[in-house]
Amino acid sequence: MPFPPPTAGYEDKPIGDSIIDYLQPRPTVLPYKAPNDLSVAGINEGDILMCEAARPPANGSIAIIAKDSERIVVKLHWHKGKWFAETDFTKGAITDAIEYVALVRHVIKDQLA
C-alpha cells in the first residue's frame, strides 16, 4: 500500500475560481469599462472597473457618476456637508444634475493598451 503524498489535503483551488470570488463577491458587483483616465487612482481609459451600485460612497472613494447621460470616473470628497468630485482636469461640487452610479471596488488594468 503506497503512502499518500505529503501535500494531500492542501491542494489549492484553481486560480480562476478564487479570482472570480474575490472580484465579484456578490451579484451586485458588475464590470464596467473606464470611460476616462483618473491618474490619482491609477485608472486609465479602457481599464475594467468592478463596481457596486448598492454600496454608498465614502470620503476619498473612487466612483462613477453621470452628468447629462455621460459617465465619468471621479474621486469623491466630503467637505462641510457637501460631496465634491475630482477628475484629472476639474474639481467641483456635486449638484442635483449629477447622479451617483456606482462605487469602484477593484481595477483590472488593461495590459495591452
Side-chain angles (χ1 to χ4, degrees):
M1 177 177 211
F3 291 104
T7 59
Y10 294 99
E11 294 88 6
D12 289 333
K13 293 189 319 184
I15 192 162
D17 295 341
S18 61
I19 286 189
I20 295 301
D21 292 344
Y22 177 73
L23 293 176
Q24 192 174 15
R26 291 176 290 290
T28 57
V29 178
L30 299 172
Y32 185 76
K33 191 171 185 178
N36 62 297
D37 293 343
L38 186 62
S39 60
V40 179
I43 297 172
N44 297 324
E45 184 176 344
D47 290 347
I48 302 299
L49 309 175
M50 298 303 288
C51 303
E52 187 169 10
R55 192 172 220 183
N59 186 35
S61 61
I62 306 302
I64 297 176
I65 61 172
K67 180 180 180 186
D68 300 328
S69 70
E70 178 186 355
R71 294 184 179 208
I72 307 165
V73 179
V74 298
K75 183 170 185 178
L76 296 175
H77 301 283
W78 179 256
H79 183 67
K80 295 185 179 179
K82 291 180 87 175
W83 282 107
F84 290 85
E86 173 186 356
T87 67
D88 284 348
F89 306 105
T90 61
K91 293 180 184 178
I94 294 182
T95 62
D96 292 338
I98 298 173
E99 174 190 0
Y100 168 77
V101 177
L103 185 72
V104 175
R105 293 180 47 91
H106 303 287
V107 178
I108 302 170
K109 299 299 288 176
D110 182 3
Q111 300 293 322
L112 302 176

